[in-house]
Amino acid sequence: MKIRHVLLSLACAAALLPAAAQEPQMNLPRVKLAAGMHQIDAQVAGTPDQRMIGLMFRKEMPQHEGMLFVFEQPSQQCFWMRNTFLPLTAAFVADDGTIVNLADMKPQTEDSHCSAKPVRYVLEMNQGWFAKKGIKAGAKLSGPPFKNQ
């Protein structure tokens, strides 16, 4: 019931986004991450507003790019795809960079995709990126967000 309430709140907030917010976020700070030998150039969504918009309204994204959602503390994170046009895979990531679980997400749906346990990070990449690279739950990401863990 709690998750449904959160999703309903997010749906209401997204519906009230001003017209200017209905543009893709293209100028967020970036961080270099790695999954083994694979490099990732990730935009960082670190504020509530940045996380709420995420990759909405994006029509394309280069294969080596993604978006890292950073939350203040670990908790169960649930994502959905309203106003998101790209098929994505979400990697739910623990503080030490370990991928807890992966979820393929269909564009423009309100299906909920949640972390299997509390996490602080979620990395969204083009759908199929993790599978093509052979990266599964249990693999570790490296980069500045995970250095102090």
Side-chain angles (χ1 to χ4, degrees):
M1 190 64 153
K2 185 178 180 182
I3 292 173
R4 182 175 292 158
H5 177 70
V6 171
L7 290 176
L8 183 57
S9 296
L10 288 173
C12 291
L16 297 174
L17 288 174
Q22 295 185 7
E23 296 291 322
Q25 300 186 99
M26 302 301 290
N27 297 313
L28 295 178
R30 291 181 178 267
V31 65
K32 299 285 186 194
L33 304 175
M37 62 184 240
H38 306 288
Q39 300 297 307
I40 301 165
D41 182 16
Q43 286 188 294
V44 178
T47 70
D49 286 343
Q50 291 168 345
R51 291 190 301 258
M52 182 175 63
I53 297 169
L55 288 168
M56 286 183 180
F57 312 111
R58 207 51 87 88
K59 300 232 184 332
E60 60 186 15
M61 185 169 64
Q63 285 300 306
H64 69 286
E65 290 187 14
M67 184 170 284
L68 182 67
F69 296 79
V70 180
F71 295 87
E72 288 76 22
Q73 60 190 22
S75 63
Q76 185 181 41
Q77 305 299 339
C78 293
F79 279 57
W80 58 327
M81 298 285 285
R82 174 182 270 186
N83 297 323
T84 306
F85 306 132
L86 303 171
L88 299 171
T89 300
F92 297 95
V93 184
D95 282 359
D96 69 353
T98 301
I99 297 173
V100 172
N101 62 297
L102 296 163
D104 286 340
M105 304 185 297
K106 284 186 182 176
Q108 298 185 283
T109 62
E110 294 182 16
D111 299 339
S112 185
H113 305 277
C114 300
S115 58
K117 67 180 195 176
V119 297
R120 183 187 317 263
Y121 304 101
V122 180
L123 176 63
E124 288 184 341
M125 298 291 289
N126 285 302
Q127 193 170 98
W129 187 89
F130 293 100
K132 287 177 194 164
K133 311 285 190 220
I135 300 166
K136 299 179 171 141
K140 264 195 153 175
L141 301 178
S142 60
F146 316 116
K147 287 212 186 282
N148 296 326
Q149 305 304 322

